[in-house]
Amino acid sequence: QVQLVESGGGLVQAGDSLRLSCAASGRSFGSYAMGWFRQAPGKEREFVIAITWNGERTFVSDLVKDRFTIARDNAKNTVYLQMNSLKPEDTAVYYCAASRSTRLFSRSNYDSWGQGTQVTVSA
């Protein structure tokens, strides 16, 4: 397994951009697909976006399509979530996660999770 630490969260206004980072420890980072999930108060943790181990494919929730992108740098053991045109409904704790599965939409297919970083978008 890998250990994951998210950073970059904060308070922004609607329409702003924010980039989250997720740093992984361990030499096997490059063998994992990586995903971002989010959880708002009183709601289930939901899939946001994911990227395959080699960065060749990405999977994006319709909720954030055309606004969020994901990228990874295997040399730096880091995955990034670029969030543009943020909306108040994007407010949540954002978690990165690592998976050896090809089924990246389901949180049950992820092996390791970070502690989360809070993103708050004011109207």
Side-chain angles (χ1 to χ4, degrees):
Q1 290 190 345
V2 292
Q3 287 72 49
L4 305 172
V5 178
E6 302 96 335
S7 62
L11 172 63
V12 297
Q13 294 184 333
D16 285 351
S17 297
L18 200 61
R19 188 177 80 159
L20 306 183
S21 298
C22 174
S25 61
R27 292 177 291 179
S28 59
F29 172 76
S31 66
Y32 285 90
M34 298 297 297
W36 287 93
F37 288 73
R38 67 186 184 186
Q39 188 167 17
K43 295 188 176 181
E44 295 284 322
R45 191 171 299 189
E46 65 180 6
F47 171 80
V48 176
I49 198 167
I51 188 168
T52 54
W53 67 273
N54 56 5
E56 289 187 352
R57 293 190 67 188
T58 60
F59 307 87
V60 188
S61 165
D62 287 342
L63 296 173
V64 304
K65 189 177 181 181
D66 297 328
R67 299 188 298 122
F68 290 14
T69 57
I70 187 171
R72 67 188 297 159
D73 186 338
N74 286 350
K76 295 182 178 180
N77 279 14
T78 303
V79 63
Y80 305 96
L81 174 60
Q82 178 66 44
M83 304 184 292
N84 299 325
S85 301
L86 282 160
K87 305 176 180 180
E89 51 264 43
D90 294 319
T91 294
V93 178
Y94 283 71
Y95 298 89
C96 72
S99 174
R100 291 193 181 275
S101 172
T102 57
R103 301 174 182 177
L104 299 177
F105 292 95
S106 173
R107 65 189 187 196
S108 65
N109 291 329
Y110 287 79
D111 308 300
S112 302
W113 292 83
Q115 83 290 347
T117 185
Q118 176 71 46
V119 172
T120 303
V121 185
S122 63

